[in-house]
Amino acid sequence: MTVWDDLVGQEKVSAVLDAAARDADALVTAAAADEPPPTASKMTHAWLFTGPPGAGRNQAARAFAAALQCVSPDRALGGVPGCGFCDGCHTALLGTHADVTTVAAVGSEILVKDMRDTVRKSFTSPANGRWQIILVEDAERLNEKSANAVLKAVEEPASRTVWLLCAPSVEDVLPTIRSRCRHLTLRTPSVEAVADMLVRRDGIEPEVAASAARATQGHVDRARRLATDPAARERRAAVLKLPLRLDEVGACLRAAQELVDAAAEDARQLAEEMDGKETEELKAALGAAQGGRLPRGTAGVIKDLEDMQKRRRTRTQRDSLDVALGDLTAFYRDVLALQLGTRVAIANADAGEALERLARAGAPESTLRRIEAISACREALDRNVAPLLAVEAMTMALRAG
Ligand SMILES: [Zn+2]
């Protein structure tokens, strides 16, 4: 077992990262022994991971971070860095390693004030003497200011700093940043590879694994969630029943409201789990624990936290809606496949009857039009259009006839 085992269907990327991690390890070992660094090295200080949603770009970056921080004694015996078990690997994978800083967007943008401390840290030496790693999970959400802050840091990195940027595609990242990065592309893993991983790693029954992998079309996290979480299966089943219900305007508006409410409920649950605890922790850290009163000048810090929580709620709601829209898209793609009589594997075999009915009821052109209406809704949500408005426009366009 190594950290690369969890990267499903990404053999090429794993091989590149593995080679870089070995050379990085050789660099650290040489420096510790006061020897000159090895001349040829596959290690570099900035990496860009791109690939479709669900292919595992964040996981790939995190596995690499773990391999760079690996302190397994086996390395001295010819073992490969990235054992997955030593303290370095373990804490890097968990996200608690002192020298691995993760930046994830909580709203639609990563703000410059959220990058400031991270950029500052990137110029310091790692606490454990290996690598100072900055992992930006949603580099496409860097806005102009925060991207410029990152650019400065990537242009003149400290000798042991490694930037790992993740984004859907290279076009999502400032050209000046991406030209300084080594670029790795992840591909959508095959349905078989995802099913195999669910059986092997999560101990899921082969039949359940195969159906979850097919339904999510190579999206590893969603496949795992679907295979292990009954609530996720219920949610998906409800979404797949929607198309048949959309026969008149009232039904379309009701369906839109239900989709938006379900997503808002997801966001509310997450907020309930996290917000209060975070606020209490911050207040305690600010010294309110003693007197019950906050020291002067701390209102701004609390306001910042509340702003972040608000942006996170909005983002969770949007992400949750996006899952539902993905399920709907897959559903209409299946309808289209039936209408065209192509022999591609049907993703939603469990909704067979509904698929057949809609396939008979319309022409491929109208199915295509519906798939486009779902994309338009996703784009509107990306542009911060009010969710209910965007989803209503979509359900009206999905109406049969
Ligand atoms: Zn390790």
Side-chain angles (χ1 to χ4, degrees):
M1 284 287 282
T2 67
V3 289
W4 314 118
D5 290 352
D6 285 347
L7 305 185
V8 186
Q10 313 296 348
E11 289 74 17
K12 271 189 193 158
V13 167
S14 301
V16 171
L17 293 176
D18 178 44
R22 290 180 206 222
D23 285 358
D25 193 45
L27 273 167
V28 173
T29 310
D34 235 349
E35 287 165 9
T39 44
S41 176
K42 296 190 179 76
M43 182 56 188
T44 182
H45 65 85
W47 298 75
L48 173 60
F49 297 81
T50 63
R57 31 179 208 258
N58 293 343
Q59 283 93 324
R62 191 157 290 287
F64 187 40
L68 292 175
Q69 304 294 17
C70 183
V71 289
S72 162
D74 294 348
R75 290 173 303 125
L77 309 167
V80 178
C83 68
F85 291 101
C86 73
D87 194 47
C89 282
H90 187 65
T91 52
L93 291 173
L94 273 181
T96 56
H97 195 292
D99 295 330
V100 182
T101 304
T102 305
V103 179
V106 284
S108 54
E109 288 186 337
I110 300 176
L111 304 176
V112 71
K113 66 175 182 181
D114 297 335
M115 275 320 288
R116 221 168 265 144
D117 288 345
T118 306
V119 167
R120 206 173 296 137
K121 194 174 179 193
S122 81
F123 291 112
T124 64
S125 300
N128 73 354
R130 294 187 66 82
W131 301 94
Q132 183 74 271
I133 299 174
I134 315 288
L135 197 173
V136 183
E137 288 194 345
D138 315 274
E140 78 279 14
R141 292 179 196 253
L142 289 164
N143 63 18
E144 202 185 327
K145 279 187 185 160
S146 52
N148 277 321
V150 170
L151 175 61
K152 288 203 186 82
V154 174
E155 273 175 336
E156 290 172 46
S159 63
R160 285 292 180 82
T161 294
V162 187
W163 282 85
L164 308 177
L165 306 175
C166 305
S169 70
V170 282
E171 290 75 26
D172 291 315
V173 181
L174 220 59
T176 40
I177 292 182
R178 67 183 192 234
S179 68
R180 286 174 171 80
C181 295
R182 176 123 186 239
H183 178 210
L184 292 175
T185 311
L186 287 98
R187 57 195 186 95
T188 301
S190 70
V191 167
E192 290 73 26
V194 175
D196 178 59
M197 186 270 306
L198 291 175
V199 172
R200 194 165 37 81
R201 222 197 73 151
D202 301 282
I204 289 160
E205 293 290 322
E207 215 164 287
V208 177
S211 123
R214 223 173 19 243
T216 50
Q217 297 287 296
H219 196 303
V220 180
D221 286 342
R222 291 194 46 213
R224 181 178 293 128
R225 176 125 192 249
L226 205 56
T228 54
D229 179 1
R233 283 201 288 275
E234 263 173 46
R235 177 74 61 82
R236 176 170 167 274
V239 167
L240 296 183
K241 282 193 188 121
L242 271 186
L244 280 184
R245 286 172 47 199
L246 304 174
D247 51 359
E248 38 99 18
V249 174
C252 292
L253 298 183
R254 268 196 304 281
Q257 187 72 55
E258 282 172 25
L259 281 172
V260 172
D261 286 350
E265 176 59 20
D266 272 356
R268 198 193 58 78
Q269 275 179 14
L270 182 81
E272 201 167 74
E273 277 168 36
M274 299 177 75
D275 288 8
K277 198 168 144 260
E278 278 171 354
T279 309
E280 284 317 305
E281 279 172 7
L282 177 66
K283 284 186 176 167
L286 289 172
Q290 290 86 9
R293 265 181 54 190
L294 289 168
R296 265 173 203 278
T298 52
V301 186
I302 295 191
K303 174 87 175 33
D304 281 351
L305 177 68
E306 285 168 355
D307 285 350
M308 183 280 277
Q309 291 171 337
K310 190 161 171 252
R311 280 186 280 139
R312 186 172 59 203
R313 269 199 295 281
T314 309
R315 168 127 194 231
T316 313
Q317 182 177 6
R318 197 177 306 148
D319 287 350
S320 167
L321 253 185
D322 201 57
V323 170
L325 298 183
D327 285 339
L328 273 180
T329 306
F331 178 94
Y332 284 106
R333 277 209 199 109
D334 284 349
V335 171
L336 188 64
L338 288 177
Q339 287 171 328
L340 297 175
T342 52
R343 294 192 171 275
V344 291
I346 296 288
N348 303 287
D350 48 342
E353 207 180 311
L355 294 174
E356 296 277 359
R357 267 178 64 183
L358 282 172
R360 276 197 307 271
E365 292 73 27
S366 57
T367 307
L368 272 173
R369 196 171 42 74
R370 292 191 173 104
I371 293 172
E372 276 161 21
I374 304 171
S375 309
C377 178
R378 283 180 140 158
E379 280 162 25
L381 291 171
D382 270 346
R383 290 196 313 270
N384 284 329
V385 170
L388 188 58
L389 215 61
V391 177
E392 276 177 358
M394 177 193 76
T395 53
M396 294 294 281
L398 294 180
R399 196 146 58 107

